[in-house]
Amino acid sequence: MNRLHRGALVLLFAAAVAGGPGCSGDPVPESPRIAPDFTLTALDGEPVRLSDHRGRVVLLDFWATWCAPCRVSIPHLVELQEKYRGDGLVVIGMNMDHDQQELEAFLRRQTINYPVVAVTEELRAAYGGVVSIPLAFAVDRKGHIRQRFLGYDRRVAKDMEQTIQTLLREAP
């Protein structure tokens, strides 16, 4: 990604953190839609298919190694996965890096207890043309997108955990 694209993403992120539309914890405005399905290969070589997780709550986290707030959010996502895995939570890291070697080096230094997949341009488009990161989608047990979280700070972390708790309490 060139400097111009990174700069644009930083500006979009800054606007979101400052309180722009689409900020943390915004419920999906229209009636919940089914999350676009995908089958991608995780970096460990295992296939990851969203529809295989129907009946669980899924948190899709769009991120990149060059995104500072994304890197800050990872320990929280690891904690959420550990804390709520037994209740039916699945976190999936939706990586947007273009440099595979940089991503692999980052993952060797970082402990992540959930699958990480490389996102295609088609999948980015299917999720609304993801341009600002970090961006996470909470998907309920029936496969509906119920919440989105743009950016990352203490407020986002709190909203994310509360949403996960609420979705986990809903009947499958």
Side-chain angles (χ1 to χ4, degrees), residues 46-81:
E46 292 296 316
V48 175
R49 183 176 178 160
L50 180 60
S51 58
D52 287 347
H53 298 292
R54 194 69 44 93
R56 298 183 183 127
V57 173
V58 179
L59 186 66
L60 301 174
D61 177 50
F62 288 82
W63 69 286
T65 59
W66 49 262
C67 167
C70 299
R71 292 190 313 267
V72 169
S73 72
I74 289 173
H76 181 241
L77 298 175
V78 166
E79 179 184 311
L80 290 173
Q81 178 64 54

Side-chain angles (χ1 to χ4, degrees), residues 130-153:
V130 176
V131 294
S132 298
I133 56 175
L135 176 63
F137 292 91
V139 180
D140 69 17
R141 295 177 188 272
K142 295 177 182 174
H144 295 98
I145 296 174
R146 295 279 296 276
Q147 198 86 7
R148 67 179 176 200
F149 304 93
L150 180 59
Y152 187 79
D153 59 18

Side-chain angles (χ1 to χ4, degrees), residues 11-20 23-24 69 134 150-153 155-156:
L11 289 174
L12 287 169
F13 173 75
V17 170
C23 284
S24 147
L150 180 59
Y152 187 79
D153 59 18
R155 180 177 49 104
V156 173

